[in-house]
Structure formats: C-alpha cells, structure tokens
Amino acid sequence: MTVTQPSSPPLSPELIAKFKKIVGEKYAVTDAADIEPYVTEERNLFHGRSPLVLRPGSTAEVSAICKLASEHKIALVPQGGNTGLVGGQMPHNGEVVVSLRRLDKIREVDTASNTMTCEAGVVLQVAQQKASGVDRLFPLSLGAEGSCTIGGNLSTNAGGTAALAYGVAREMALGVEVVLADGRVLNVLSKLKKDNTGYNLHNLFIGAEGTLGIITAATLKLFPKPRAVETAYVGLKSPAAALKLLTIAQGEAANALTSFELLSEMAVDFSVRHGIDVRDPLQETHPWYVLMELSSPSDDARTPLETILGRAMEEEIVDDAVIAASLAQRNNFWKLREEMSAAQKPEGGSIKHDISVPVVAVPAFIEEANAAVVKLIPGARPVPFGHLGDGNLHYNVSQPIGANTADYLARWHDVNAVVFEIVLRMGGSISAEHGIGVLKRDELPEVKDKVAIELMRSVKAMLDPLGIMNPGKVL
C-alpha cells in the first residue's frame, strides 16, 4: 500500500555524520541492504524508505537525536519490534528511523510495590519472564510477544488475550519516560497508584504511536502469579450461544475468567490446514468455537471451569468441550488461536479489521457484517475471530476462491466502508487494539468526535510544532 506524503528533505553527509556521532558509527545504519528489515513489515502491506537508521543505546542519545532533528527539521519515525499492523512504524517518505531495540534494560523490579521499570526496547516475552522469575505476572499477552517491545506496546496501547481481566496496555502502566520533539526528557516514572498532582501526562503518550514523543521507559504494574490455570476449548452453534456461555462464566468465575476467545469455523479450518503442528482438539467440527481460560490465585481453577461447562451443557448452550489435561495440550489450544492470522496468507488476499462493539452487540455485528461483505463482493469469505470478552473482533475477510489478489485488495476501502458503517451504528470503534497508523488515518476524522479531533491536533501542534515526530500517522 502506497502512502503519499511530502518527502523529507535529503540528509547531507555532514548531518548524517552528526547523527552518527551521537550513537556511534556501529549503530548508525546507512547501507540499503541493512536498512531493509526496518522498512518492511510482516504483512508486506507497507514498504518504507529511509536513508538512515539510528540505534541509540540510552535515553540521553535519544534526546540528542531529537534535539538535532529539531534544529534541522528532520522527521523521525520511532520503531520497536516492527510488528505493527497499521503502518505506524514505517518510514513511508524517507524519514530517519530511530530503533529503540538497544534500550533493552529492565531497570528495576520492586515486588513490594508490584512494579517493574523497563526500557522501551525490552521484548514483551522477556518482561513476562522477568516477572515470573520473581513470582509475579505481567499479563499483557500478544501473538507477537516474542518480538514486540514494551515501547511499541505502549505506543499502540496494545490489547491482547488477557485484556478481559487485566485491561489493555494503558491500564498496565503507572508512568513513562518520554523524549519530546525538542529533546527534553519528561520523566513521570511513578510507582504510585495514587498521585493526584495535576494532569495525567503519561497517558498522552500511550496510544499516540510516537506522534507526540518517543517513549524510552515505563513503570509497569505486576500482579500476583496464578497458582492454577485451566483452559477449555468449546464447540457451539453461534456467537449468541458464545455470549450466553460468557455470561455464565463471568457469573461463576468473576475475575478468574482471564481469556474468552471466539473463533469461527473458517478461522479454525485455516489454522488447522495451514498452521504448523495445529489440530482441532474436538473430533467433530462446529460452526463456532470458544477458547476460554480461568486463572486462580488458589490451587483450584478446575472446579469452577467444570461447573461452567456443566451448566452450559445442561442448558444446551455448548455442544462439546475439552479441558486441557497438560501444559502441552494447553499450549496446543493456544497455538491454534495464535496461528489464525498467518494461516490466512495461503488463502490469498485478506482485508482486515480490528474493531470493537459492545459485547452484547457482537452476534448481531457478525451477522450483519457477514451479509454485507458477501453482498458487496460475492464469494468473499468472512473470517471473524477475537476477544469476545471485551467486544474486540479481528473481522477479516478473505478473497473469493480463485479471485485475483490485487483486484481484491483494491477493494480495501470499499469493504472498510461497509464494515465501519455497521460498527459505528452499533456504538463501536474502528480500531480496538492495533492503532490508527496510516491504514485508518483518513477514516479517523469521519468517525471521531469533531472536538476530539481538534483537541488532538492542538496537542500535536503544541508538543511537536515542527511536525517531525512520526509525521503522517494518526492525524
């Protein structure tokens, strides 16, 4: 997908030398082949270009980069693990990339305060493991957790499979350290749960996708580590039945219900056929599935799970179910879910949506959206799956069998228009957890409150008057 924005001014050799001096020759990338991994993303939807990738090793170096860039009006694109799905991490128009991967230190773990202070380049999985090593839980969990970074997670306000119980990334951060466009460092790395001293500044930068400043560190919340985790894979007839199961589960398990994923038959079929070592845990196919997980601070999550499933079967809500008998089987359940995005690639073009609607509206949304996209493009194959517990669906639509992929993907905005109309009518959001980037930038003013857009632009103008921080993204 091509993004048209004014190109950045060319960098003179003298200016490149000044940037190199800040990070050191070894950490300034100018060779085109070496730059390539920073300007491509995993879905191949966007391809950027950049004359220079800087890999700072400290907040001070990020500050110096921003100060120099501000003095010369050079646009910067901050980048973490490069796993974003909306093009927000791409240098579309020749900007300088600031890779935060070398800022990978965990500065402190405080089990008394239940906090962990991480630099932006810490890989999410490393943060999870560090918390586990001190008998704590950092619950943010994503399919890309082996490569995405804390800075990127916060910049996009990532969600994931545990948002039902723990919330999204914003709710897991007590404070941040941010380098502003002019090089000033805002340090609000608070461990405090109570701090009523004016505006909550750190939340400005969480979800801003690097357009207001560069997050270099964050103080994260830790939680008690569960003593028991039980996982079930359930077959049922409809999203309406899944919603009834969710109601029973929340009534029986309350906060112990940590994940509740809705999976369509087609999504499961793709995952089984195209995933590596993936199989359907149930012997017979079902129109819909639920992957649900209970986590308990006590030693028993099995009893409430069995109670939930038993009641749902008695009420003929659930047709079949299996509870993981081992950690390996639990991992296999989750692997089926995690392979769903990649498994769509062999099926050709996929037009993707990351939407949310009120939980109660999910069944009606799926029914209306399925009918609408098939009417628009006969033979199109809806592949909905996602986090029913918080109303967030990955509503993907695969191309008709045998269709020309390029022709199909050219209808991206047509399909968006149909899907988004239903989302907005139901009081939902066109971006639940992936962000806006450039993929949804042009739609945002049409769906966002007009005063909200004005305020967002005012904040951007105040913090980044030269427009050098990740230009062309979000706004």
Side-chain angles (χ1 to χ4, degrees):
M1 184 173 291
T2 302
V3 178
T4 56
Q5 284 286 115
S7 297
S8 295
L11 289 178
S12 67
E14 293 78 15
L15 192 53
I16 290 176
K18 289 181 179 180
F19 277 120
K20 284 184 175 182
K21 187 176 180 180
I22 293 171
V23 298
E25 189 81 27
K26 180 179 178 181
Y27 300 112
V29 185
T30 55
D31 180 77
D34 293 334
I35 287 175
E36 188 65 19
Y38 298 91
V39 298
T40 57
E41 45 88 37
E42 60 183 65
R43 294 198 311 196
N44 294 320
L45 192 61
F46 300 101
H47 192 280
R49 57 188 178 85
S50 176
L52 177 65
V53 175
L54 299 172
R55 302 180 61 232
S58 68
T59 299
E61 289 182 1
V62 177
S63 174
I65 289 168
C66 290
K67 184 177 180 181
L68 182 61
S70 181
E71 290 171 355
H72 294 273
K73 299 182 180 179
I74 301 298
L76 304 175
V77 174
Q79 189 179 99
N82 193 13
T83 60
L85 299 175
V86 293
Q89 78 282 19
M90 284 285 103
H92 296 285
N93 300 286
E95 302 93 339
V96 172
V97 174
V98 182
S99 171
L100 283 302
R101 296 180 196 176
R102 287 184 61 224
L103 273 70
D104 60 356
K105 299 179 182 63
I106 295 177
R107 295 181 183 176
E108 182 188 41
V109 178
D110 183 346
T111 55
S113 296
N114 277 322
T115 62
M116 176 168 60
T117 302
C118 295
E119 293 185 340
V122 172
V123 172
L124 174 55
Q125 192 171 69
V126 172
Q128 294 168 342
Q129 292 168 347
K130 186 68 173 181
S132 180
V134 293
D135 200 33
R136 296 294 188 274
L137 173 72
F138 182 60
L140 187 63
S141 182
L142 316 171
E145 61 193 29
S147 53
C148 65
T149 62
I150 294 298
N153 297 151
L154 293 175
S155 291
T156 58
N157 192 27
T161 57
L164 170 63
Y166 298 101
V168 295
R170 176 176 281 114
E171 295 165 272
M172 299 182 199
L174 289 169
V176 295
E177 176 186 85
V178 182
V179 177
L180 303 180
D182 60 8
R184 288 180 296 164
V185 178
L186 171 68
N187 189 329
V188 283
L189 286 171
S190 173
K191 296 182 186 179
L192 305 176
K193 290 182 171 63
K194 293 182 177 180
D195 182 3
N196 230 350
T197 53
Y199 302 140
N200 189 335
L201 294 176
H202 80 269
N203 266 332
L204 270 178
F205 301 93
I206 299 175
E209 301 184 44
T211 61
L212 302 179
I214 300 177
I215 295 174
T216 51
T219 304
L220 307 173
K221 296 180 186 177
L222 301 181
F223 297 82
K225 191 175 181 181
R227 300 297 177 217
V229 177
E230 296 288 350
T231 311
Y233 185 78
V234 180
L236 28 67
K237 291 183 176 64
S238 67
L243 187 57
K244 291 178 181 178
L245 176 60
L246 174 63
T247 300
I248 292 173
Q250 289 176 321
E252 294 286 345
N255 292 336
L257 180 65
T258 46
S259 296
F260 198 95
E261 301 289 294
L262 178 67
L263 319 173
S264 66
E265 180 184 4
M266 188 166 291
V268 170
D269 176 60
F270 286 1
S271 193
V272 170
R273 287 196 290 115
H274 301 302
I276 300 172
D277 296 326
V278 175
R279 66 180 184 86
D280 188 335
L282 298 178
Q283 292 184 350
E284 297 182 2
T285 59
H286 299 267
W288 291 88
Y289 301 87
V290 163
L291 177 58
M292 59 185 294
E293 190 160 272
L294 270 62
S295 304
S296 173
S298 70
D299 293 327
D300 183 21
R302 182 92 176 192
T303 299
L305 183 56
E306 290 176 344
T307 299
I308 291 165
L309 295 176
R311 181 178 161 189
M313 286 183 171
E314 286 176 8
E315 297 181 19
E316 298 184 346
I317 295 169
V318 167
D319 295 327
D320 198 5
V322 59
I323 299 175
S326 64
L327 178 60
Q329 191 173 24
R330 172 180 177 257
N331 290 340
N332 288 337
F333 288 3
W334 279 107
K335 185 173 176 58
L336 184 149
R337 164 65 179 87
E338 290 160 0
E339 290 281 342
M340 284 183 175
S341 293
Q344 292 168 60
K345 291 181 180 179
E347 297 291 329
S350 176
I351 296 175
K352 301 179 184 295
H353 306 87
D354 163 49
I355 61 92
S356 61
V357 294
V359 174
V360 70
V362 168
F365 165 78
I366 292 174
E367 182 178 1
E368 282 197 45
N370 285 359
V373 298
V374 172
K375 181 180 179 181
L376 179 69
I377 304 179
R381 296 172 291 166
V383 191
F385 62 96
H387 321 301
L388 177 60
D390 54 41
N392 172 203
L393 286 179
H394 301 298
Y395 187 77
N396 300 342
V397 186
S398 285
Q399 70 178 53
I401 294 173
N404 179 276
T405 297
D407 291 344
Y408 175 71
L409 292 178
R411 304 291 305 276
W412 192 290
H413 290 291
D414 297 336
V415 176
N416 280 178
V418 167
V419 173
F420 290 165
E421 186 278 327
I422 301 170
V423 168
L424 297 173
R425 178 160 39 83
M426 293 184 172
S429 169
I430 68 169
S431 180
E433 62 179 3
H434 291 166
I436 297 297
V438 295
L439 186 65
K440 302 177 184 179
R441 178 195 62 200
D442 295 339
E443 283 88 358
L444 187 63
E446 302 302 318
V447 303
K448 193 80 172 174
D449 177 80
K450 304 306 179 188
V451 175
I453 289 289
E454 290 173 6
L455 289 175
M456 288 168 65
R457 287 175 174 153
S458 296
V459 171
K460 169 73 171 174
M462 179 187 70
L463 291 175
D464 182 23
L466 300 176
I468 66 170
M469 302 303 291
N470 212 5
K473 315 297 171 50
V474 184
L475 296 172

